[in-house]
Amino acid sequence: MTRVSLSRRPRQTDIARFAGVSVSTVSRVLANEPGISSNVRDEVIRIASELGYNIRPVPSAHPQNQRSVALIPVDQATGALGVFYEGILSGLRGAATRSGGTLLPRLVRSSSLKVSELQQTLSETEATGIFLVGIDPPEDLCSYLLESKIPTVWVNGNDPDLQFDCVSPANFYGARLATQHLIDAGHRRILHFTMSHRHTIRERIRGFEAAAMKGGATTRIVQLPSTSSRTSTAACEAMEAILVEDQGFTAAFCMNDMMAVGVMEAVTNHHLSIPQDFAVMGFDDLPCASMTMPRLTTMRVDREAIGQEAYYLMQRRIADAGAEPRKVELAVRLVEGATVQPATKAESAERSV
């Protein structure tokens, strides 16, 4: 093992250079923040010690025997998005196991979640932290959580007031990239199918509108009933009506992959070819995306990574209750399917007219 030394007072940039990591990684290790592998952490500490860097003791970011409860909407967990939340829960459980903690999932009716119900859950589980998974809590519940100072992390959620730690996919940027992918393929009349009032989904609408405005596309927001339990069927019926109107739309970006499946069904029923006559873009990369014919083009959300990051935020919150709330967005990436076909220059010019 090579020893390192300097003839001057060491800086974090020196530690980063010798350890072969970024300065931000060094900063996180020295602040004892979670989310850094043990090998990297040990190497950074070793080099910092050899250089004579003054490592100040900080509260442990890995409290032992941490008991947390994850509240999950029962309608989402038992519906078409069950696999989405299963991935998040897997990430939470994995991070808890690696940290020696305990994660206790609970299904709840998020639309009617009351303070008394939450208090009872905390009493029964003896949990010291709460994960709100896919839940936008009402004002009275937010007030209770803030006043009681119970460590709380919104998972797949976005607190518009940033009073709580939260982690979600990069919904705005992902939607903007998805829409831009359609525009780059030559489409100038694009539909957007959506159905939720949640903050995260509104971010996808904003991303769609931003890309469409920049690309000069004509758009239409297709708002499906939020009470519909059969997302694919609702999307299919709405798309059928639009095709009958024949307004010249050539592509659709859907809030999630289930909607995209419904749109594809309607397009096929009208004897149109995908993607030659009509292009379809999904979001989330759920298992159904790989079952369509042709394979759905979509945006992949790393659901396990969301759960893991949420657990790290909880560890940070418990270690430093006074830390400023942190909002984390994880990148989403394009999954090239076969439902969006790049247009020729001639087709692109024709659609622009």
Side-chain angles (χ1 to χ4, degrees):
M1 184 180 296
T2 305
R3 295 187 63 85
V4 296
S5 62
L6 290 173
S7 58
R8 54 173 171 76
R9 185 176 180 180
R11 297 187 290 265
Q12 290 190 12
T13 52
D14 300 316
I15 301 173
R17 176 164 56 88
F18 283 113
V21 298
S22 66
V23 176
S24 63
T25 297
V26 171
S27 177
R28 292 180 65 190
V29 169
L30 296 179
N32 206 20
E33 291 190 7
I36 304 294
S37 70
S38 57
N39 290 339
V40 171
R41 187 181 299 275
D42 292 345
E43 181 66 4
V44 169
I45 294 298
R46 181 185 72 81
I47 290 176
S49 299
E50 290 186 3
L51 290 174
Y53 189 89
N54 182 27
I55 303 177
R56 294 174 294 177
V58 295
S60 171
H62 300 277
Q64 295 299 311
N65 302 320
Q66 175 185 323
R67 292 176 66 83
S68 304
V69 62
L71 303 183
I72 307 166
V74 64
D75 54 334
Q76 301 287 10
T78 58
L81 281 175
V83 67
F84 187 95
Y85 286 99
E86 179 185 10
I88 290 177
L89 187 58
S90 177
L92 282 167
R93 280 177 167 152
T97 298
R98 289 188 293 274
S99 301
T102 302
L103 182 77
L104 306 165
R106 288 289 186 276
L107 295 178
V108 297
R109 294 287 177 185
S110 58
S111 59
S112 58
L113 186 60
K114 301 289 192 298
V115 170
S116 58
E117 182 182 353
L118 182 58
Q119 290 173 328
Q120 182 177 350
T121 298
L122 290 171
S123 176
E124 293 173 349
T125 61
E126 298 181 346
T128 56
I130 301 172
F131 294 103
L132 297 175
V133 185
I135 296 174
D136 295 336
E139 288 187 14
D140 64 327
L141 197 57
C142 288
S143 297
Y144 167 73
L145 291 169
L146 290 171
E147 291 170 4
S148 60
K149 301 187 184 303
I150 300 173
T152 304
V153 178
W154 293 23
V155 192
N156 191 40
N158 178 20
D159 176 14
D161 299 320
L162 200 53
Q163 300 178 94
F164 297 91
D165 297 307
C166 51
V167 56
S168 67
N171 291 296
F172 173 85
Y173 299 102
R176 191 176 71 176
L177 287 172
T179 308
Q180 189 60 50
H181 187 62
L182 291 171
I183 292 173
D184 290 344
H187 298 281
R188 296 296 181 271
R189 294 184 64 82
I190 307 172
L191 301 164
H192 178 49
F193 285 76
T194 187
M195 70 178 299
S196 176
H197 63 279
R198 294 198 65 217
H199 302 303
T200 51
I201 301 307
R202 287 205 293 266
E203 286 294 291
R204 294 185 186 182
I205 296 175
R206 286 184 57 244
F208 168 74
E209 292 175 334
M213 181 176 295
K214 181 180 178 181
T218 299
T219 63
R220 175 177 169 183
I221 303 293
V222 183
Q223 185 76 43
L224 302 181
S226 59
T227 55
S228 175
S229 59
R230 302 187 64 183
T231 307
S232 179
T233 300
C236 180
E237 292 173 351
M239 188 67 212
E240 289 271 6
I242 291 171
L243 289 171
V244 169
E245 295 172 3
D246 191 18
Q247 296 182 354
F249 288 99
T250 64
F253 164 48
C254 301
M255 181 194 91
N256 60 36
D257 296 332
M258 287 91 70
M259 287 186 185
V261 170
V263 168
M264 291 178 67
E265 181 182 357
V267 171
T268 301
N269 289 344
H270 275 251
H271 307 291
L272 297 175
S273 177
I274 301 173
Q276 289 80 9
D277 299 323
F278 197 90
V280 182
M281 187 86 198
F283 206 105
D284 290 337
D285 194 27
L286 298 176
C288 64
S290 63
M291 301 178 190
T292 63
M293 182 60 70
R295 205 278 189 203
L296 180 64
T297 302
T298 186
M299 304 298 295
R300 184 174 188 274
V301 173
D302 191 336
R303 301 179 284 278
E304 285 206 14
I306 290 174
Q308 292 170 7
E309 191 66 35
Y311 200 85
Y312 298 148
L313 285 177
M314 178 64 75
Q315 289 181 311
R316 169 181 173 270
R317 176 58 49 194
I318 291 177
D320 184 4
E324 290 296 323
R326 181 172 291 179
K327 176 182 178 181
V328 178
E329 289 191 342
L330 300 183
V332 298
R333 66 176 180 84
L334 176 70
V335 177
E336 289 278 9
T339 57
V340 180
Q341 175 177 276
T344 65
K345 292 183 178 179
E347 289 172 331
S348 182
E350 181 180 348
R351 288 172 179 162
S352 298
V353 175

